Amino acid sequence: MNYRISCIFCFLLTVVPGCKKLIDVPGPETQTEGAAVFKTDASSTAAVTGIYSKAIPFSISLLNGGITIYAGLSADELIQNETNITIQEFFTNSLQSSNQLLRKDLWVRAYSLIYDINACIEGLNGSKTLTESTRNQLLGESYFLRAFVYFNMVNLFGDVPLVVVTDYVTNENLPRTNAMIVKARIKEDLTKASELLIPAYPTPNRARINKWAATALLARVNLYDGNWQEAESAASIVINSGTYSLEKDLNKAFLFTSNENIFQLMPVAKGYNTTEGNQFVPAGTSSIPPYSFSNFLLSEFEPGDKRFTSWTRSRSVAGTIYTFPYKYKLRLDFSASFVLKEYYVVLRLAEQYLIRAEARVNQGDLPGAIQDIDSIRYRAGLPFIDPSVNRTDLLVAIRKERQTELFTEWGHRWFDLKRTKQADLILKGRKLGWNATDTLYPIPADERLLNPALTQNDGYN
């Protein structure tokens, strides 16, 4: 990683380039300043909420459209229509370890955030002057954020260095950690978060983490690990909390006022709604969309699916029809009339129904699973599932429903193909030059030069 950040810089949202190790932090002279940040509730809150702002910069990054776009290309969702060889490597599954988008947008962004989060966790735990409620809230948010970053990193890269302290001696040559150990820490952090947080959101518009957000992510983690009972239980807690409901109008689902949203990141740049809206919606009335859907994804939508009519748009350019994502509908707008309408949705209720459905099928509760799927299909204007469906066909139906409900959101399709062990089976027939080792991204070459303890994934140099 190529960032040098102290705890006080976390508070000031300053990133200083120039380190030579995976994590390179200033010496003890800044520790007093860092500790001062965590003396008051107000400054401590500013330090933690600063991480949210850093997570959603003006450009593509790990938690700001990067996973959606790059993983969407790596799977069978998206096609790139512009000539950008560096991005094209994701689509052709020919990633080079020298790819700078892989390094800067994903790896470096991740460990920059992780360092800031760790600095806040240490500062909060070390402070003797904070009120208990503030400490609990901020620690809960920090544990969630660390778990969320690591969840995405372990699903993209497999084994990754597990950095949980800010001490540079400990971190400077840290090797990759077995993915199972990283996953255990993710669950541990989310469990802590769910215990520390309360149901009430600390700020309006669900732009900070509450108890149910931590529980929702824990449901996803348990689903990925095959812990069916735990996944069902966590998803049920969120669904039954009474806090959320599916938006009847699909065009309202991704507005910041949506009652479906469990957690969303608030854009901070002037004239800016979301990176995905700016990336997916074409700039002009006759321009080719930068990204469009693959025919594989288009074929999954059933006739009459309202998600297709509400969450996609098509345009013809020079006789070619391009269909592109339209969940987020707004691009950059620097006019005086600009109004912020869309936040970047991280967790929403529809996924919890799909998590519970899959968990129920794997426990033999087919009627319960059908009920959950039908909740999603009813909103989409589709007929209910045949109640006589068998277990195998119901699992297929759930996977298809995840494709058409969660498309171009946070790499769900890419991660689903891998966790269900279908990536090689499906993508080798859809991607030229596909290799089984392409399911993991390479460890960036520059990071291995900085830290020789980092090994490479199979299939890469």
Side-chain angles (χ1 to χ4, degrees), residues 57 113 120-121 187 351 358 409:
L113 288 168
C120 286
I121 290 173
K187 290 185 67 174
E351 184 200 357
E358 187 173 341
E409 287 185 58

Side-chain angles (χ1 to χ4, degrees), residues 5-8 10 38 113-124 165-166:
I5 309 166
S6 74
C7 184
I8 188 70
C10 168
F38 298 96
L113 288 168
I114 287 168
Y115 185 84
D116 286 357
I117 294 164
N118 287 339
C120 286
I121 290 173
E122 290 176 1
L124 292 165
V165 297
T166 59

Side-chain angles (χ1 to χ4, degrees), residues 84-188:
N84 184 316
I85 296 175
T86 310
I87 295 178
Q88 195 71 2
E89 287 181 7
F90 289 92
F91 174 70
T92 57
N93 304 101
S94 58
L95 271 169
Q96 302 299 305
S97 61
S98 59
N99 188 298
Q100 287 303 302
L101 296 179
L102 177 84
R103 177 176 181 254
K104 294 179 180 179
D105 292 351
L106 302 179
W107 188 278
V108 170
R109 285 288 186 180
Y111 281 102
S112 176
L113 288 168
I114 287 168
Y115 185 84
D116 286 357
I117 294 164
N118 287 339
C120 286
I121 290 173
E122 290 176 1
L124 292 165
N125 279 323
S127 177
K128 306 297 183 183
T129 55
L130 300 179
T131 61
E132 183 179 5
S133 60
T134 297
R135 186 200 310 275
N136 288 347
Q137 173 66 37
L138 297 178
L139 274 174
E141 291 177 84
S142 298
Y143 284 128
F144 174 99
L145 290 168
R146 186 167 69 182
F148 187 53
V149 173
Y150 271 120
F151 170 82
N152 287 294
M153 287 295 285
V154 79
N155 278 288
L156 292 172
F157 294 96
D159 299 348
V160 293
L162 181 59
V163 181
V164 294
V165 297
T166 59
D167 177 53
Y168 74 95
V169 175
T170 301
N171 298 330
E172 62 180 350
N173 287 305
L174 200 64
R176 297 168 69 191
T177 306
N178 184 281
M180 297 305 295
I181 296 174
V182 179
K183 290 177 181 180
R185 177 54 68 100
I186 291 169
K187 290 185 67 174
E188 179 183 333

Side-chain angles (χ1 to χ4, degrees), residues 10-44:
C10 168
F11 173 48
L12 297 176
L13 304 181
T14 302
V15 180
V16 182
C19 92
K20 300 296 183 183
K21 301 291 183 181
L22 172 68
I23 298 292
D24 185 12
V25 300
E29 67 274 11
T30 63
Q31 298 306 309
T32 300
E33 291 177 315
V37 173
F38 298 96
K39 283 189 175 181
T40 70
D41 287 0
S43 59
S44 298

Side-chain angles (χ1 to χ4, degrees), residues 339-383:
V339 177
L340 183 61
K341 294 182 179 179
E342 296 174 343
Y343 289 7
Y344 190 30
V345 179
V346 179
L347 296 164
R348 61 188 182 94
L349 185 63
E351 184 200 357
Q352 297 299 303
Y353 279 107
L354 293 170
I355 287 172
R356 190 169 71 174
E358 187 173 341
R360 283 175 165 176
V361 171
N362 282 289
Q363 296 177 91
D365 181 9
L366 272 61
I370 291 172
Q371 185 178 33
D372 284 335
I373 301 172
D374 284 345
S375 297
I376 303 299
R377 291 180 62 83
Y378 177 77
R379 197 252 302 260
L382 296 175

